[in-house]
Amino acid sequence: MVAERFTVDLDKPLVFQVGHLGEEYQEWIHQPIVCVEGPRFFQSDFWEFLTRTVWWAIPTIWLPVVCYVLSISARKGLTFPQIGLIVAFGVLTWTLLEYTLHRFLFHIQTKTYWANTAHYLLHGCHHKHPQDGLRLVFPPTATAILLVPLWKLLHLVATPATAPAMLGGILFGYVMYDITHYYVHHGQPKVPTFKHLKKYHLNHHFRIHDKGYGITSSLWDKVFGTLPGTKAAQKKS
């Protein structure tokens, strides 16, 4: 007896449907629907509201926090050049976190009901509806929760003076990541660097989703061998 395939009803809230796709879930999310208006996730208006974030909320909320934590390091005696170096290292650390999370968590393979459901909320929704402008950046509430253990970890591995600057660098890197991510989806870049980033990231969405995990940079894709090949190279192989 052959089980009937589950079909997602796009006119109904999606979150508690996608888990039923089972092993077909991964194939489903990589068949993108290109539409600026996103789907409804939850029946509840409250939970639905929490899934939507305007892009400008990220710099508005977090850049003042970056300035505040950097001022802590300054008050504890660090010079501006020292703070600048630590911030640069923090930004570099963020790019590695960005790559690692995207590759190993956001693209984890799932097939059970709850694993599919959790993955859809985390990243699957973005691949299914890549132009959903209100679900491109990370919700500030979730970011605030994650910052607590990060703050504690940094105080374990760094000095009281350097830990705030390190947090500021990582947080600044995150802000630039979210802004860049939104821009490569919805902007029309004229500068070659950003034109390349847009092409590079949309290639990840629409051509080869298991390569090109970097958003703000392709550095770690080059380091770890996940740089996508060109179409010409693929044709030759």
Side-chain angles (χ1 to χ4, degrees), residues 19-197:
H20 294 295
L21 288 167
E23 294 182 353
E24 295 177 348
Y25 166 76
Q26 293 294 328
E27 180 183 356
W28 180 79
I29 60 169
H30 291 115
Q31 296 171 349
I33 297 173
V34 182
C35 179
V36 175
E37 184 178 351
R40 188 172 182 91
F41 275 20
F42 294 100
Q43 191 69 41
S44 163
D45 289 336
F46 173 74
W47 291 110
E48 184 70 9
F49 169 77
L50 291 182
T51 69
R52 296 172 180 265
T53 307
V54 291
W55 73 267
W56 48 262
I58 304 306
T60 301
I61 293 170
W62 296 119
L63 287 182
V65 177
V66 170
C67 293
Y68 173 71
V69 294
L70 295 185
S71 73
I72 295 175
S73 288
R75 292 198 301 270
K76 289 183 179 293
L78 291 188
T79 65
F80 286 113
Q82 288 173 327
I83 291 173
L85 285 173
I86 296 169
V87 168
F89 182 71
V91 171
L92 181 64
T93 301
W94 165 259
T95 63
L96 180 58
L97 281 172
E98 170 193 314
Y99 173 88
T100 304
L101 290 171
H102 193 186
R103 179 179 178 182
F104 296 107
L105 179 60
F106 294 176
H107 280 266
I108 191 172
Q109 298 295 302
T110 62
K111 60 183 179 180
T112 66
Y113 177 84
W114 287 111
N116 286 350
T117 301
H119 181 267
Y120 181 77
L121 282 169
L122 182 66
H123 193 63
C125 60
H126 178 52
H127 273 267
K128 188 64 182 179
H129 292 86
Q131 295 303 104
D132 183 351
L134 292 177
R135 295 192 178 99
L136 260 173
V137 297
F138 205 58
T141 303
T143 304
I145 292 171
L146 293 175
L147 282 176
V148 174
L150 177 60
W151 177 251
K152 293 182 180 297
L153 175 63
L154 289 174
H155 274 279
L156 289 176
V157 300
T159 67
T162 58
M166 186 66 180
L167 178 67
I170 293 173
L171 189 55
F172 182 71
Y174 156 70
V175 171
M176 298 312 297
Y177 152 79
D178 249 352
I179 293 174
T180 301
H181 192 199
Y182 186 90
Y183 183 65
V184 297
H185 275 277
H186 291 278
Q188 298 299 326
K190 300 293 190 293
V191 178
T193 299
F194 288 104
K195 288 177 72 174
H196 168 73
L197 284 177

